[in-house]
Amino acid sequence: MVTDAPSPAPPVGLRESKKQETRQLISDVATGLFLAQGFERTTIAEIAAAARVAKKTVTNYFPRKEDLALDHQDAFVASLAATVTGRPTGESALAALRRAFTDAAAAADPVAGFSGPDFARMIADSPTLGARLRDLHDLREAALADALADATGVPRDDITPRTAAALLGAVHRTLFQRIQDLTLAGQDNERISATVLTEAHRAFGLLEPALADYATA
């Protein structure tokens, strides 16, 4: 009897590509539902049905419902630490972070807070997403503190990098919220960028006396 030979397994690259496609599909479907009916009112079961996947598939890719809405969270948490780690020789942590924020604001980068009015409203209306966003700010500040400790050669529990990270993190939190508030007020990205670039100059300037030369590469 002649039998069909088993189909060869797809290349690893193809499998990974399919995973990324599925993940993006679920994320896109979830975002559409969140914007249409609100984050709190949308269920994982509804997302799975709309994406035509099993509920377990959704939770495999996104263990928490908040992960579906805040899909840039890994980049967000790593952003400040990555800027410090990658700064050129002779540049302080403050100068590097100011430069990076200026570039992000000019480009209306979503990681800096430029999410658009519908998304900003969704976050503002959801206590769950608001709490998760505060957690992400905390995680980003902790990652920055570790990067500053490593850059200055002190233990990661040393008070100096932790304090510096708290100050720098506070400026970024304030500017992020400012962008969200201006978005909800109906301003377009060009106008918001112009406003926060001016305000960022003042906000970062407040840290100059303490941190101008701190953690210079």
Side-chain angles (χ1 to χ4, degrees):
M1 180 173 68
V2 178
T3 60
D4 292 334
S7 300
V12 173
L14 180 58
R15 287 200 300 270
E16 185 60 31
S17 176
K18 290 293 185 183
K19 287 181 180 179
Q20 290 299 323
E21 288 177 6
T22 300
R23 189 183 192 281
Q24 190 62 53
L25 170 65
I26 294 169
S27 177
D28 291 345
V29 167
T31 298
L33 288 173
F34 293 152
L35 294 177
Q37 59 193 36
F39 178 83
E40 305 292 350
R41 291 190 295 274
T42 302
T43 67
I44 296 295
E46 288 177 308
I47 295 168
R52 298 187 177 183
V53 298
K55 183 177 177 181
K56 183 172 178 56
T57 301
V58 175
T59 56
N60 281 343
Y61 283 101
F62 301 94
R64 290 174 297 196
K65 184 180 166 186
E66 303 94 295
D67 297 339
L68 284 156
L70 303 172
D71 203 18
H72 294 292
Q73 60 183 313
D74 290 343
F76 180 86
V77 169
S79 59
L80 304 187
T83 295
V84 168
T85 301
R87 71 201 186 290
T89 300
E91 188 173 50
S92 69
L94 174 60
L97 290 167
R98 188 205 299 255
R99 170 180 51 77
F101 180 83
T102 298
D103 292 344
D109 189 341
V111 175
F114 290 85
S115 58
D118 293 338
F119 200 88
R121 174 55 58 194
M122 178 188 73
I123 293 176
D125 289 345
S126 168
T128 303
L129 289 179
R132 180 55 181 160
L133 187 56
R134 289 190 291 274
D135 289 342
L136 294 176
H137 277 293
D138 289 344
L139 291 170
R140 182 168 71 161
E141 183 181 307
L144 174 59
D146 287 345
L148 291 172
D150 294 345
T152 56
V154 301
R156 287 190 168 185
D157 62 352
D158 187 277
I159 193 65
T160 302
R162 294 168 69 89
T163 303
L167 294 170
L168 292 161
V171 169
H172 283 86
R173 289 176 195 246
T174 301
L175 292 170
F176 185 97
Q177 189 58 52
R178 180 65 164 150
I179 292 168
Q180 293 282 289
D181 291 343
L182 293 173
T183 300
L184 291 172
Q187 295 190 18
D188 61 28
N189 283 349
E190 184 176 358
R191 186 177 175 189
I192 295 170
S193 291
T195 298
V196 297
L197 283 170
T198 299
E199 294 178 343
H201 178 73
R202 301 207 313 265
F204 282 109
L206 292 173
L207 302 185
E208 285 282 351
L211 299 176
D213 299 319
Y214 177 69
T216 298

